Amino acid sequence: MITRRRFLADGAVVATAAGAKLPVWARVLNVARAAADPTAASPDLVEHGLLLGVDYYPDQTPESLWSEDARMIAEAGLTNVRVAEFAWSLMESSEGKFDFAWLTRSVEILHKHGIEVILGTPSAAPPPWLSEKYPEILLVNNQGTTVQPGGRRFTCPTNKVYRKLSLAIATEMAKTFAETPGVIGWQIDNEFTLQQWGRCYCKYCRTGFQDWAKRKYGTLDVVNQKWGTAFWSQVYTEWKQIPVPLPSNGDPNPGLALDYDRYQSYANASFAEEQLVMLRKICPRHFVTTNNVGAPLDTIDLRELFRNLDFVCHDNYPGFVQIFFEGGKMPPEQVATVVALGHDSMRSVKDGKPFLIMEEQSGKAGQSFFGPQPHPGQLRLWAFQAVAHGAMGVNYFRWDTAKFGAEEYWHGLLNHDRSKSPGFDEIVRTVKELKSLGKAGLESSYVAETAFSFDLDSDWALNIQPGNRKLSYAAQLMAWYGSVASANVGTDFIRLDGDLSKYKAVFAPVQYIVSAKQAENVRNYVRNGGVFVTSFRLGVKDETSQIVDMPLPGLLRDVMGVTVKDYVPIYTEKIGVQFGTELAGPDAECALWADLLTPQTATVLAKYTGAVYEGAAAITANAFGRGKAVYIGADVDAKSLARVLQALLAMSGSKSAFGAPTGVEVTRRQARAKEWVFVLNHAADAQKVTLPGKFKSALSGDAFDGSVTLRGFDAMVLERQ
Ligand code: GLA
Ligand code: ZN
């Protein structure tokens, strides 16, 4: 599990009915929702405007400044704000005593300046009176310690009192603002995945888990069989005996632990769903979403969380990546790849539908310490990168910079003294440029030739039992993604039981759990000509987290054409990998794991060297039907991995028409016959990109023939001539 803690440790709709004047470029969110099914997502019924805005905190700003703020926000070209997601204590000063008068006044002022409002429901941070009166709402972490109030996200997602009070304040807000001119939509809560400890282990979650297990399995006999409770005398005879995986002087049952992760995901998603059902009923004309943090934070199944929401939102802070990975030393080109992974994975949560950046870094990013100062050009570049990966809009975090509270170091568009920040003009320019792409550009579809499996079952199960202490699904996924991303052929994140047919190559590193449905889907994909590239630890387990009772790689053995003769966690051994002619290159080092392969029908692309594994097959390729299945049995070093995956990509026939050096990203978005090519230089130096023909800048109109040179940290949008 990658939690925020681990992450840190590792390094318009203006209601036209109400007579509001629409900005020329804005579009009316004309929603004719089917009232019969309030939970049903209505993406096709919703026409979103261009959402270019800023996160605004009237709750933290003297009222005397609200008009000036609204005027300046409008002058900056921003057309919406998100407000109130952390303002519970000002909206309900004691239980049932609601006051929305201040927020109503703020919304009116914003609306007068043509600014539309996204309201946040405030359940991410309950007021002190609430946790004082109902201490049972507090989250219990994975060590059994009750997390104390004073921060945020310290609450249990299952607790009924907390759910009731969260729904109550959200309902009062909804009733108050359902018809308020200028209000266009809702953000439920704030960053569900951001809990310091990821999951709650309290007594309410325990009961919730028992009920969930009952619904899932029906009888205790099935539970006992699926979890294998005969081991260590764990046979349950009553539902209430089922524990949660808290410290117990022995590792938890892996089946139970995996189901507990699934339960926690469900608990958070169903918490959000309660507010969604209410909002659909009371505010049928408004869109509803929530913001989240993209991969590699992974404690909630985001497909589950966003299933009935209108579109995906996430928060984009390259500065966080800069601060927390590799001690702040990660070069900007590499930061960009981690950020790209976040965008690609979030876009894929709703299968490619354009997403919104609800919080975009607008300056120095810091809480108790500052992150690196963005270089001139980088704020613009990062916003364009989000759009290059499928965003339909960007909201900057935040308008002003807080003069009090835990985020005084988090810089907004205004400095502490309300002067314009160093990035202000750059943001104004960016917003203007993004608007010029119009609705068609910002809502076009991202083009992907390849896909990555993002398999939470494998991720969670490997976190429970990594095999080798250092083996991590998220780290493998990031390494593989980084190796493939530089080919600039576009990458989606999919589930192996989803539609794979449009991809030339599908990558599935450490797919530890493989279901029968996934195996059959992959089999058909390869049979029909797809290239499937996977790795060590393939198909070791089934969905209950039991080891399969067949030779590895289990259900996909026929497709891969190999048997895993033995598998070896690597600690001190020096093991190399020597490549054959197809993948010719310098020998690789094998780091954490070696699956020793015996080919059945596959051919050998690389062999192990050193120790007793000398000569065993390390990488194989199997012709299966019209496609190919490649098994990378060794955890090869980063350089070799990149070389191998790039070679396999080329074999799949996937190739970018653009020649871009390292550090330059090229992505494509299409709408009908039109295509926008985004060229992003994440390096500080100028870089030259070769172009397949004549292009014109969609932003400046400049023409380019065969190549274009970008300044350091520059972003361009090109159209073919
Ligand atoms: C997030 C939150 C914001 C703010 C920013 C900056 O991701 O949603 O409330 O805390 O980060 O840290
Ligand atoms: Zn709980």
Side-chain angles (χ1 to χ4, degrees):
M1 168 180 67
I2 295 219
T3 60
R4 170 77 155 233
R5 194 154 182 244
R6 163 112 181 258
F7 187 74
L8 302 187
D10 285 351
V13 181
V14 171
T16 33
K21 204 167 155 249
L22 281 170
V24 177
W25 52 270
R27 298 291 301 263
V28 175
L29 181 86
N30 208 353
V31 187
R33 280 187 203 286
D37 183 4
T39 63
S42 46
D44 300 335
L45 299 177
V46 180
E47 234 186 75
H48 300 295
L50 307 182
L51 295 163
L52 297 164
V54 70
D55 303 311
Y56 178 51
Y57 295 90
D59 43 322
Q60 301 164 24
T61 309
E63 191 160 347
S64 57
L65 295 173
W66 291 356
S67 287
E68 182 179 285
D69 278 339
R71 179 181 52 78
M72 288 177 74
I73 292 171
E75 277 171 14
L78 298 161
T79 48
N80 64 264
V81 293
R82 179 203 61 187
V83 295
E85 82 281 6
F86 285 115
W88 194 339
S89 62
L90 294 185
M91 297 190 287
E92 190 181 7
S93 55
S94 61
E95 189 169 350
K97 196 166 169 248
F98 299 102
D99 174 12
F100 300 105
W102 65 272
L103 187 54
T104 305
R105 291 197 299 279
S106 170
V107 171
E108 274 167 10
I109 291 173
L110 290 159
H111 179 56
K112 220 167 73 193
H113 288 83
I115 296 161
E116 297 156 342
V117 177
I118 302 168
L119 292 167
T121 70
S123 40
W129 63 258
L130 199 156
S131 39
E132 161 78 7
K133 191 167 172 187
Y134 303 106
E136 67 267 34
I137 67 153
L138 299 176
L139 179 138
V140 173
N141 74 14
N142 59 5
Q143 296 304 301
T145 303
T146 302
V147 173
Q148 296 301 306
R152 58 178 177 174
R153 290 233 74 81
F154 50 77
T155 53
C156 165
T158 307
N159 181 274
K160 287 204 168 65
V161 173
Y162 193 57
R163 283 181 168 229
K164 195 178 96 194
L165 292 171
S166 296
L167 185 59
I169 177 90
T171 306
E172 290 303 315
M173 278 181 92
K175 284 185 190 154
T176 306
F177 293 103
E179 301 301 330
T180 305
V183 173
I184 56 172
W186 295 84
Q187 170 189 300
I188 294 174
D189 204 281
N190 192 78
E191 294 191 334
F192 278 100
T193 40
L194 203 64
Q195 299 173 18
Q196 295 272 318
W197 280 278
R199 300 179 174 109
C200 182
Y201 298 80
C202 76
K203 63 180 181 185
Y204 305 100
C205 285
R206 179 173 171 179
T207 316
F209 178 49
Q210 290 161 351
D211 293 344
W212 179 90
K214 202 181 221 168
R215 286 198 301 278
K216 177 166 181 177
Y217 294 117
T219 70
L220 280 170
D221 283 348
V222 178
V223 171
N224 285 318
Q225 187 247 319
K226 298 282 186 194
W227 291 349
T229 54
F231 189 83
W232 279 357
S233 182
Q234 291 168 349
V235 176
Y236 301 109
T237 54
E238 289 189 66
W239 291 99
K240 66 179 183 207
Q241 296 162 359
I242 293 176
V244 299
L246 279 169
S248 179
N249 283 342
D251 288 333
N253 177 299
L256 177 148
L258 178 58
D259 268 337
Y260 194 70
D261 288 352
R262 292 171 175 145
Y263 168 69
Q264 281 290 306
S265 177
Y266 160 80
N268 280 287
S270 62
F271 181 99
E273 189 88 1
E274 284 182 1
Q275 294 189 28
L276 172 65
V277 171
M278 175 279 294
L279 287 167
R280 293 282 191 233
K281 271 197 204 119
I282 301 178
C283 303
R285 297 189 308 124
H286 296 161
F287 64 74
V288 187
T289 181
T290 185
N291 59 334
N292 228 295
V293 186
L297 293 177
D298 56 4
T299 49
I300 297 180
D301 178 351
L302 297 182
R303 285 180 184 258
E304 187 177 20
L305 181 66
F306 281 98
R307 185 163 298 135
N308 295 321
L309 295 170
D310 290 310
F311 50 85
V312 167
C313 288
H314 70 285
D315 301 338
N316 185 37
Y317 294 114
F320 250 145
V321 176
Q322 271 177 309
I323 300 171
F324 294 116
F325 281 101
E326 300 181 7
K329 302 278 182 226
M330 195 184 253
E333 295 89 335
Q334 230 171 303
V335 168
T337 306
V338 179
V339 173
L341 184 153
H343 293 317
D344 285 346
S345 68
M346 291 307 286
R347 184 192 63 250
S348 300
V349 166
K350 274 200 176 289
D351 299 322
K353 199 175 146 62
F355 57 85
L356 177 68
I357 300 294
M358 194 60 106
E359 298 178 11
E360 172 75 23
Q361 186 168 340
S362 58
K364 272 191 282 291
Q367 281 168 341
S368 48
F369 51 88
F370 290 107
Q373 174 94 0
H375 297 283
Q378 269 187 320
L379 295 176
R380 174 176 174 271
L381 176 64
W382 292 335
F384 269 96
Q385 186 188 20
V387 174
H389 284 267
M392 61 178 171
V394 175
N395 284 279
Y396 286 92
F397 185 87
R398 46 184 273 167
W399 173 242
D400 60 354
T401 306
K403 286 181 273 299
F404 43 79
E407 295 189 342
E408 294 161 344
Y409 291 175
W410 203 282
H411 277 250
L413 274 84
L414 300 185
N415 295 319
H416 289 109
D417 64 1
R418 293 182 58 83
S419 56
K420 289 180 180 174
S421 73
F424 192 98
D425 292 342
E426 191 175 314
I427 289 173
V428 170
R429 172 186 169 199
T430 307
V431 168
K432 204 168 161 198
E433 287 178 330
L434 288 176
K435 277 183 195 171
S436 75
L437 296 177
K439 182 178 164 66
L442 289 175
E443 297 188 5
S444 54
S445 304
Y446 174 89
V447 182
E449 291 189 358
T450 61
F452 267 87
S453 165
F454 186 27
D455 190 69
L456 280 172
D457 278 354
S458 296
D459 181 6
W460 294 343
L462 264 177
N463 275 313
I464 294 161
Q465 296 172 296
N468 180 322
R469 214 170 264 285
K470 287 195 174 157
L471 186 58
S472 134
Y473 181 87
Q476 291 289 328
L477 187 70
M478 282 165 71
W480 278 52
Y481 176 87
S483 303
V484 172
S486 57
N488 290 313
V489 290
T491 301
D492 286 341
F493 283 80
I494 44 86
R495 291 155 57 124
L496 284 187
D497 52 12
D499 182 11
L500 309 178
S501 58
K502 69 173 178 170
Y503 302 111
K504 290 191 174 145
V506 171
F507 297 90
V510 280
Q511 186 83 29
Y512 185 52
I513 290 183
V514 173
S515 70
K517 194 171 165 209
Q518 287 174 333
E520 192 49 27
N521 203 40
V522 169
R523 186 170 289 114
N524 286 332
Y525 169 68
V526 181
R527 194 176 276 141
N528 293 329
V531 172
F532 179 66
V533 184
T534 183
S535 83
F536 54 93
R537 305 311 272 151
L538 171 70
V540 174
K541 290 199 156 195
D542 66 19
E543 292 153 291
T544 65
S545 201
Q546 291 200 22
I547 305 259
V548 296
D549 57 357
M550 56 185 94
L552 297 182
L555 293 171
L556 283 170
R557 196 158 71 108
D558 58 328
V559 180
M560 306 315 300
V562 292
T563 304
V564 177
K565 186 169 67 177
D566 200 358
Y567 47 84
V568 186
I570 308 289
Y571 290 97
T572 53
E573 296 96 318
K574 286 259 170 283
I575 296 175
V577 173
Q578 194 175 60
F579 297 95
T581 46
E582 292 96 327
L583 293 176
D587 285 7
E589 280 173 34
C590 178
L592 301 176
W593 201 271
D595 274 359
L596 312 181
L597 309 174
T598 303
Q600 253 84 57
T601 50
T603 53
V604 178
L605 303 184
K607 286 181 176 169
Y608 290 104
T609 60
V612 286
Y613 317 117
E614 182 87 35
I619 303 179
T620 58
N622 192 39
F624 184 84
R626 289 187 282 122
K628 203 165 238 183
V630 179
Y631 197 111
I632 302 182
D635 176 36
V636 293
D637 60 84
K639 236 184 175 163
S640 304
L641 181 68
R643 196 177 59 70
V644 167
L645 295 184
Q646 293 274 343
L648 295 172
L649 197 63
M651 278 182 209
S652 79
S654 182
K655 189 169 166 23
S656 171
F658 299 80
T662 316
V664 176
E665 267 190 284
V666 181
T667 73
R668 291 152 58 205
R669 291 184 68 169
Q670 287 174 344
R672 296 197 191 89
K674 193 156 176 176
E675 179 167 287
W676 292 263
V677 180
F678 291 79
V679 190
L680 312 162
N681 182 11
H682 295 286
D685 302 326
Q687 303 268 17
K688 187 172 168 187
V689 175
T690 60
L691 307 171
K694 291 186 173 163
F695 285 78
K696 174 185 100 182
S697 165
L699 305 175
S700 67
D702 293 347
F704 306 100
D705 189 357
S707 73
V708 59
T709 299
L710 287 90
R711 280 176 288 110
F713 303 126
D714 196 9
M716 284 190 182
V717 185
L718 304 178
E719 290 169 24
R720 202 185 267 275
Q721 288 302 282

